[in-house]
């Protein structure tokens, strides 16, 4: 059995566009051959399902969501989850309010994304208006797996991550373009793949494991599993990748 774990935004689906038909056709061939296909994303379950539901016949065998913090099977049963301790949630959200004022943020639970201070609008990602909550309510929740911010640029995202980690070293920042996702330090796309294999018991040889992504939050998995990237990725991703493909479809069909 072979396994593909692909990033979604910018890799499987182009920014500002849909999933190419070639990618959908390649997934069908891959699964018909008895192999596993899934999505390894910074999105939460609700936000990635919003996209998957647009494509009839696209049925991933698994999801790795929230940069590895949540792993599900094909039916969306949660197989693994890394929740913030409630005291950490409270301290983090209070710090972000102090340092960023009323700038919008998302608090993401295992199954839903909730906006504080307005929505993180992004036409390229097609992010919808999400249900809202207040900071006063969110700080008492014990089911948060991610807090997401739009920092505008990767430089600002890196600076914000450094500020947060100075107070909360148990957190890490997973960065895609100008977005900063704050997760527990054990949550990244590399650990998400490893956690998937552990909880499912799937036996996949190293040469039969294919990971692909296009930006900084994909780097841990690309480096750990000798993974791949796409032609639209920045140069640092192409340097880290084993090979650059024009599309996910090309990678899958070449290795079928």
């Amino acid at each position: 059995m072979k396994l593909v774990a692909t990033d979604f935004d910018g890799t499987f689906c182009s920014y500002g566009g849909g999933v190419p038909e070639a990618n959908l056709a390649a997934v069908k061939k891959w699964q018909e051959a008895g192999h596993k296909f899934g999505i390894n994303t910074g999105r939460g379950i609700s936000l990635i399902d919003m996209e998957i539901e647009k494509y009839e016949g696209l049925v991933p065998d698994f999801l790795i969501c929230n940069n590895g913090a949540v792993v599900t099977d094909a039916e969306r049963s949660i197989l693994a989850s890394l929740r913030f301790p409630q005291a950490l949630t409270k301290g983090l959200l209070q710090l972000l309010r102090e340092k960023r004022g009323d700038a919008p943020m998302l608090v993401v639970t295992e199954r839903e994304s909730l906006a504080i201070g307005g929505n993180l609008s992004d036409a390229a990602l097609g992010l919808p208006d999400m249900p809202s909550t207040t900071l006063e309510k969110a700080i008492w929740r014990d089911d948060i797996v991610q807090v997401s911010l739009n920092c505008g640029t990767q430089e600002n995202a890196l600076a914000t991550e450094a500020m947060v980690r100075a107070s909360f070293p148990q957190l890490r920042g997973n960065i895609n373009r100008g977005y900063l996702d704050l997760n527990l330090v054990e949550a990244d796309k590399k650990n998400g793949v490893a956690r998937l294999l552990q909880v499912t018991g799937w036996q996949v040889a190293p040469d039969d494991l294919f990971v692909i992504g296009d930006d900084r939050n994909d780097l841990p998995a690309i480096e750990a599993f000798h993974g791949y990237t796409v032609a639209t990725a920045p140069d640092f991703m192409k340097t880290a990748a084993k090979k650059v493909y024009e599309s996910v479809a090309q990678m899958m069909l070449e290795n079928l």
Side-chain angles (χ1 to χ4, degrees):
M1 181 183 76
K2 300 180 180 182
L3 184 147
V4 161
T6 177
D7 171 53
F8 189 78
D9 297 295
T11 304
F12 192 66
C13 179
S14 62
Y15 290 119
V19 176
E21 286 295 330
N23 284 353
L24 298 173
V27 170
K28 183 178 180 180
K29 288 184 179 180
W30 185 263
Q31 290 176 313
E32 286 176 346
H35 304 316
K36 301 294 185 184
F37 167 84
I39 295 171
N40 192 4
T41 180
R43 291 182 183 240
I45 293 174
S46 63
L47 291 183
I48 191 60
D49 268 341
M50 174 190 75
E51 295 298 322
I52 291 171
E53 289 167 359
K54 296 177 181 178
Y55 305 98
E56 185 177 357
L58 179 58
V59 184
D61 297 295
F62 62 88
L63 297 178
I64 301 170
C65 295
N66 308 108
N67 301 294
V70 175
V71 177
T72 84
D73 62 15
E75 288 73 38
R76 306 300 186 268
S77 295
I78 294 174
L79 305 178
S81 176
L82 297 176
R83 294 182 173 190
F84 291 10
Q86 190 273 324
L88 174 59
T89 297
K90 181 178 181 180
L92 172 63
L93 295 182
Q94 289 176 332
L95 175 68
L96 292 174
R97 174 59 59 84
E98 174 188 343
K99 297 296 185 180
R100 288 171 50 89
D102 293 326
M105 68 180 91
L106 291 182
V107 291
V108 188
T109 71
E110 290 172 335
R111 295 196 180 275
E112 61 180 342
S113 298
L114 303 169
I116 297 177
N119 276 273
L120 303 184
S121 59
D122 190 320
L125 294 179
L127 293 178
D129 286 344
M130 282 160 270
S132 63
T133 189
T134 64
L135 183 135
E136 291 72 24
K137 291 180 179 178
I139 61 176
W140 296 108
R141 299 193 66 141
D142 63 359
D143 58 350
I144 304 299
V145 298
Q146 181 170 298
V147 173
S148 298
L149 316 168
N150 185 350
C151 298
T153 67
Q154 286 205 354
E155 292 74 19
N156 288 341
L158 287 165
T160 303
E161 178 198 22
M163 178 270 293
V164 168
R165 283 180 57 81
S167 297
F168 300 103
Q170 63 270 57
L171 292 174
R172 68 177 298 135
N174 289 290
I175 296 171
N176 185 359
R177 298 190 301 156
Y179 284 89
L180 171 63
D181 297 328
L182 294 165
N183 304 96
L184 291 179
V185 72
E186 302 91 346
D188 62 27
K189 292 190 175 187
K190 173 194 72 177
N191 289 327
V193 172
R195 200 168 291 115
L196 169 76
L197 297 177
Q198 180 182 28
V199 297
T200 59
W202 290 340
Q203 300 297 311
V204 182
D207 289 345
D208 292 333
L209 177 61
F210 302 91
V211 298
I212 187 167
D214 78 309
D215 212 338
R216 194 175 296 274
N217 64 337
D218 299 298
L219 266 177
I222 300 303
E223 293 174 339
F225 300 115
H226 307 290
Y228 305 93
T229 193
V230 289
T232 53
D235 288 342
F236 69 85
M237 289 296 296
K238 294 174 181 176
T239 299
K242 182 178 179 180
K243 186 173 180 178
V244 179
Y245 285 101
E246 290 297 322
S247 66
V248 175
Q250 185 186 31
M251 183 197 74
M252 295 177 74
L253 295 177
E254 183 173 301
N255 295 285
L256 186 58

